[in-house]
Amino acid sequence: MSAADELILEVESLVAGGASSELTDANPILAAVEIFDPVAGTWTPTGSMSVPRYFHCATTLYDGSVLVTGGIPYAATLGPVIDAHSLATAERWDPTTGQWHAAAPMPFGRSRHQALGWQSTVVVLGGADEQSLESAFTHTMYFDPATDTWTALAPMSSGRFNFAAVALTTGQLLVASGNGQLEGLVTDSEVLTEVV
């Protein structure tokens, strides 16, 4: 699978959604979720997401739950497009029940973004609208799981998608490279200082 988000849960990995590199009717985008135990070498199904997702992000929260944000629910090559935009929805996986529950939606849809666990929140950065990869978002925000709310942060100076992001020990976030407007390459990096 490519573009399935994988998270490390202690020694196990959660793999949520994604698709094969060959999107066909026989190989659709998935809502399925599985946990891999590297000690036993086994895969165990857990609750599926409410919608299939591809080019989404999954982030482990402080309580062991997982927040999935954005992505696309369809393959553009498969028949009529029902939702021509990236998803604004978010879902939260409960490790005690193995089930997904709706979280507050983001202000607008995005895919190919980054989402980082930060203190007790999730910071979501950049991305694009899958209908037209001609735009790259500068928008950043954070999700507070305690209140189920999204709050805007200062935007990045360059819009980008398919980029790298990492939390620094200085309390800042570093974003680098990626694709920008009209799918051109973004070769700069920036340090975001206004973080929760």
Side-chain angles (χ1 to χ4, degrees):
M1 273 187 191
S2 64
D5 261 1
E6 178 180 341
L7 293 168
I8 306 302
L9 301 171
E10 296 182 25
V11 296
E12 297 177 332
S13 296
L14 178 89
V15 178
S20 72
S21 60
E22 286 288 324
L23 287 175
T24 66
D25 288 331
N27 294 313
I29 294 174
L30 302 174
V33 181
E34 296 184 63
I35 298 172
F36 178 68
D37 181 338
V39 175
T42 57
W43 289 92
T44 305
T46 187
S48 293
M49 296 180 291
S50 67
V51 296
R53 293 177 190 266
Y54 186 50
F55 294 126
H56 56 287
C57 286
T59 310
T60 303
L61 300 173
Y62 63 92
D63 63 357
S65 65
V66 175
L67 181 73
V68 169
T69 55
I72 58 172
Y74 65 90
T77 59
L78 300 179
V81 174
I82 297 169
D83 178 359
H85 298 281
S86 300
L87 295 169
T89 57
E91 300 182 57
R92 194 167 169 183
W93 179 74
D94 182 338
T96 59
T97 65
Q99 299 302 308
W100 293 87
H101 306 282
M106 296 181 290
F108 57 89
R110 65 179 71 215
S111 61
R112 303 170 190 252
H113 56 290
Q114 286 289 345
L116 299 172
W118 187 253
Q119 297 170 4
S120 60
T121 70
V122 175
V123 177
V124 173
L125 308 116
D129 182 335
E130 206 62 32
Q131 182 179 23
S132 170
L133 291 177
E134 295 178 357
S135 62
F137 303 147
T138 60
H139 189 256
T140 64
M141 60 189 162
Y142 73 90
F143 175 76
D144 184 343
T147 60
D148 194 36
T149 56
W150 293 94
T151 303
L153 294 168
M156 297 183 292
S157 60
S158 296
R160 60 185 83 218
F161 61 93
N162 294 340
F163 62 99
V166 65
L168 303 173
T169 58
T170 60
Q172 301 166 315
L173 299 177
L174 171 67
V175 295
S177 301
N179 295 99
Q181 302 297 337
L182 301 174
E183 293 194 65
L185 293 178
V186 178
T187 58
D188 69 341
S189 62
E190 56 186 296
V191 175
L192 305 177
T193 55
E194 186 196 319
V195 182
V196 185

